[in-house]
Amino acid sequence: MLEALQYEFMQNALIAGLLAAVTCGIIGSYVIVKRMVFISGSVSHASFGGIGLGYFLGITPIVGALFFTIASALGMGLVTRRAKIPEDTAIGILWAMGMAMGIIFIGLTPGYPPDLMSYLFGDILIVPPSDIIMMLILAIIIILVVVLLYKEFLALSFDEEFATVVGLPVERLYFLLLILIAFTVVVLIRVVGIILVIALLTIPAATARRFTHDLKKMMLLSILFGGFFTSTGLWLSFELDLASGATIILVSGVTFLASLFLSRLRLMTGVGRG
Amino acid sequence: MTSKEVVRLEDVSAHYDGVPVLEGVNLSIYQDDFLGIIGPNGGGKTTLLKVILGLVEPGRGRVSVFGDTPEKGRKHIGYVSQYSLFDRDFPASVWDVVMMGRLGKTGPFRNYTKQDREATLRALEAMEILDHRDQQIGKLSGGQQQRAFIARALVTEPELLLLDEPTASVDTPLQTDFYELLGKLKERMAIVLVSHDISTISIYVDKIACLNRELYYHSSKELAAEDLEAAYRCPVEMIAHGVPHRVLKEH
């Protein structure tokens, strides 16, 4: 790993991975405890529309993705809150529509975009410094908002009805959380790609949750897990010449399954002793 | 004996997806009331509480809460919903949850104050669950969780406490404890208790109303047999539920 780090692209990759770990540790914890996994999946897939729009307009695709993802997250929120259709129906529709728009935009753009696959499946090794700066800004915004509104988001996640009664602007807070999810998705796209974002948004937090009953500790622990997953995955993909995004996800998934297996084992031996 | 009116409902009707849940409900709640509202499941009890809290918009009628709209007046209300709604694995301690009752007082962008922490401490003490403050909320027993949620409602320093089926998951011996606790609280605030369990509720409350879409209430503990029959529609069904008629006629 250390020798690999003398390459600038590896340094950038490591920074991108750690930024991803911080954002998905914080926002992923809310996604897990508020059961927003599939809304997040929908938002991340819909961001493909923004990538396509970016190509079409000739701007940096990730910038297109940022605005498009915010818009689709808010659209998602409005549809599930105001229109009387079931949440999973809205999720399915937005999920597919975003991807379809991406395909249309790319089709309308002359030529074939060379790095399309890196947006779909992630390529942490080719993250340009400009993207890293944007990821850093988004991560700082996420941290600031969560520090300022920690207790409000906790109440929102635990019991929306009670939060409403004590006077919190529940709907606005929910929309803000969706925007933060959109930010996180954009940070993660570069690392693992649109299709795999959902794994990094859920696995570190779900693993952390097995070890603590405190939301703050859960966030810190999932940042650590996320950092471990991205750096280990990055190193393995470098050593074994595998796709980086997919390697990171497999490292995460295997660790989560191992933690499940270990606690089951502990339970079984505990029962044996008792 | 003039007591302040805290909630007033005039000719309130509410619908869920076109199905009427409340029809022509008139109700006044006074500051020293301890009112029990009984009625069959699906009779609109929860909806009535939500109308008072401004969580459900009535289709018709006027609602006044502490002389204001429900949205503005509800800051004086402590609300304990049917508690079974939350996720048992949620990463929050009893302390975290009870503290949430202070959100309206503290405001955003700042930490809880010393006052908030003291109010939380007092509420946990009053509910006799101070020993469990650091435990995960979902790991408490049903009765202890109930107390935690009442503590959360109490830290808002309410003048009216609304309780929705508070004893649904509390064992019968503990229910007596629970009602004695409410007996102490009623010195400080108005209490409205909603339940489908007629027999227990009727012993403790001061006034009783019966709700099945329409509200039958005479601002007293008297309930005429015809009110009950009208509310429950079918007396035979009541007996099938194990609620004999005479329990209520005695009062």
Side-chain angles (χ1 to χ4, degrees), chain A residues 231-253:
Chain A
S231 51
T232 310
L234 181 62
W235 169 66
L236 279 177
S237 74
F238 182 79
E239 291 292 328
L240 306 174
D241 197 21
L242 298 170
S244 58
T247 312
I248 289 170
I249 299 308
L250 284 180
V251 168
S252 316

Side-chain angles (χ1 to χ4, degrees), chain A residues 59-150:
Chain A
I59 57 173
T60 315
I62 202 78
V63 175
L66 177 63
F67 290 105
F68 197 88
T69 313
I70 292 171
S72 55
L74 289 177
M76 187 80 217
L78 279 174
V79 169
T80 53
R81 290 272 153 159
R82 303 275 171 84
K84 284 191 172 165
I85 57 169
E87 193 172 74
D88 54 346
T89 307
I91 287 171
I93 293 168
L94 187 82
W95 186 305
M97 271 183 67
M99 298 226 69
M101 284 165 83
I103 293 165
I104 298 284
F105 282 132
I106 289 168
L108 290 174
T109 312
Y112 187 80
D115 49 358
L116 184 62
M117 288 297 274
S118 83
Y119 288 109
L120 282 174
F121 297 102
D123 196 345
I124 197 171
L125 297 178
I126 57 161
V127 182
S130 61
D131 281 14
I132 292 211
I133 290 169
M134 189 173 89
M135 289 167 77
L136 182 67
I137 293 170
L138 293 179
I140 290 171
I141 296 174
I142 289 169
I143 293 168
L144 273 179
V145 173
V146 170
V147 165
L148 285 174
L149 294 171
Y150 177 80

Side-chain angles (χ1 to χ4, degrees), chain B residues 38-40 196-202 228 232 234-249:
Chain B
I38 56 170
H196 68 278
D197 180 7
I198 306 176
S199 47
T200 18
I201 199 175
S202 54
L228 278 166
Y232 276 82
C234 177
V236 183
E237 204 190 22
M238 282 174 57
I239 291 159
H241 282 158
V243 186
H245 242 151
R246 54 190 156 73
V247 169
L248 288 139
K249 272 186 185 165

Side-chain angles (χ1 to χ4, degrees), chain A residues 10-20 132 135:
Chain A
M10 276 307 268
Q11 293 167 9
N12 283 348
L14 192 64
I15 294 170
L18 294 178
L19 283 174
I132 292 211
M135 289 167 77

Side-chain angles (χ1 to χ4, degrees), chain B residues 12-27:
Chain B
V12 167
S13 298
H15 299 256
Y16 260 137
D17 293 330
V19 182
V21 197
L22 296 175
E23 259 178 283
V25 170
N26 292 295
L27 173 66

Side-chain angles (χ1 to χ4, degrees), chain A residues 250-265:
Chain A
L250 284 180
V251 168
S252 316
V254 167
T255 313
F256 178 72
L257 291 176
S259 83
L260 271 184
F261 180 72
L262 278 176
S263 60
R264 177 63 64 86
L265 206 67

Side-chain angles (χ1 to χ4, degrees), chain A residues 159-171, chain B residues 53-55 74:
Chain A
D159 185 345
E160 278 195 14
E161 193 175 63
F162 187 82
T164 309
V165 171
V166 293
L168 290 190
V170 162
E171 201 172 72
Chain B
L53 288 160
L55 295 171
R74 68 184 169 205

